[in-house]
Amino acid sequence: MWGSRSAGRAGARLAAQLGFGAGRMTLLRRVMALPDPRFSTPRVLGVDDFAIRRGQTYSTVLTSVEDHRVVDVLPTREAGPAMVRAHIATLRGAPPAVSPRASSVRQVTGWLTRHPATLTEEDRASLKEVLARCPELDKAAGHVRAFGEILTERLGSTLPTWIGAADAGRLPGLTGFALHLLRDRDAVTAGLTLDWSSGRIEGAVNSIKKIKRQLYGRAGFELLRKMILLQCPPRDRNPRFCTRNAF
């Protein structure tokens, strides 16, 4: 695309080779004069931000989640059982267990967060031993399994009940995570209920970053917006890749 590298200089060089008397500013004006692509109103709209100038200026990209197309660019703007580490740290300072080798934080975290059906008999026995030595961790394991069921079975409607139970348990890390979900309750519930995800939205943001690098920071917002709309076509992405912020 003319104008996408060095603010139109590459396009001007190509125009000269083809015998056209068009300078880089003329080419840029031609690009800016192109009409915006016409889109039907998206049924599922994704919203994300990207940096025009990191730490200073941010813009918003609107994406049709169903067909992966950028529909407009606007000029304005973890969880895991963290308490496992604290409890495993206390276990390391306890008297040696019968087992010659203590379970690591990574192992226990993996046992808790993996689907129970994927654990070997040895894994189940080791996890049972760890949980028997730590009642708080045993309680947390129940909450983790319940959340895993909500996640895999798309039971977003039961999230408030889970948050209430986790909050009542007063477990380090897990309670904070549960209450943090309340800040974006609608978005989290949608993510745990609907089939849509923001993986496609983030794909559009990655394309925008590439266009920004090609422009070398010399483009104003209007030119950047035009290039984004013209160079971000629909993509056939695998819908099973899931992240955050799907609406």
Side-chain angles (χ1 to χ4, degrees):
M1 175 67 69
W2 286 355
S4 64
R5 295 184 58 193
S6 301
R9 291 184 176 85
R13 289 195 295 270
L14 178 59
Q17 294 174 7
L18 296 176
F20 299 115
R24 67 183 187 90
M25 295 306 298
T26 299
L27 294 176
L28 292 178
R29 284 193 294 270
R30 292 292 181 88
V31 171
M32 293 294 295
L34 292 173
D36 291 346
R38 290 183 174 271
F39 305 109
S40 58
T41 302
R43 192 169 68 91
V44 183
L45 183 67
V47 182
D48 206 347
D49 294 334
F50 65 95
I52 298 292
R53 297 182 64 187
R54 187 179 297 275
Q56 299 183 35
T57 307
Y58 290 85
S59 293
T60 299
V61 57
L62 305 180
T63 307
S64 173
V65 178
E66 290 183 295
D67 59 10
H68 322 283
R69 179 181 289 277
V70 174
V71 297
D72 207 347
V73 184
L74 307 178
T76 59
R77 200 83 130 135
E78 115 208 300
M83 49 88 63
V84 172
R85 294 185 178 275
H87 285 295
I88 294 299
T90 63
L91 292 178
R92 286 175 173 171
V98 176
S99 175
R101 185 176 62 181
S103 302
S104 68
V105 172
R106 177 173 295 183
Q107 284 178 315
V108 178
T109 302
W111 295 334
L112 290 176
T113 56
R114 283 160 50 195
H115 195 287
T118 66
L119 298 179
T120 65
E121 289 298 329
E122 182 180 357
D123 290 340
R124 293 192 184 96
S126 298
L127 177 59
K128 183 178 180 180
E129 181 182 351
V130 171
L131 297 182
R133 296 202 301 255
C134 181
E136 293 85 359
L137 187 57
D138 188 24
K139 187 187 300 185
H143 292 303
V144 171
R145 294 191 188 100
F147 188 81
E149 184 177 356
I150 294 174
L151 183 64
T152 57
E153 300 298 329
R154 301 277 185 185
L155 302 176
S157 61
T158 65
L159 181 63
T161 301
W162 182 88
I163 292 175
D167 181 31
R170 298 299 176 184
L171 297 170
L174 192 62
T175 297
F177 165 64
L179 296 179
H180 185 75
L181 295 178
L182 291 174
R183 300 180 183 178
D184 293 310
R185 175 177 168 178
D186 291 342
V188 175
T189 300
L192 294 174
T193 306
L194 305 177
D195 292 330
W196 309 112
S197 77
S198 66
R200 301 164 183 179
I201 306 169
E202 294 182 358
V205 172
N206 288 335
S207 297
I208 290 172
K209 292 178 180 178
K210 179 180 179 181
I211 294 172
K212 284 181 56 187
R213 288 194 296 268
Q214 291 176 330
L215 292 170
Y216 291 112
R218 296 182 175 88
F221 174 78
E222 291 301 328
L223 176 59
L224 178 61
R225 175 180 177 274
K226 186 73 67 175
M227 300 301 296
I228 291 171
L229 294 177
L230 294 174
Q231 293 195 35
C232 290
R235 297 178 179 176
D236 183 16
R237 293 184 181 271
N238 192 328
R240 64 191 178 93
F241 291 119
C242 297
T243 47
R244 55 186 164 75
N245 291 345
F247 302 96

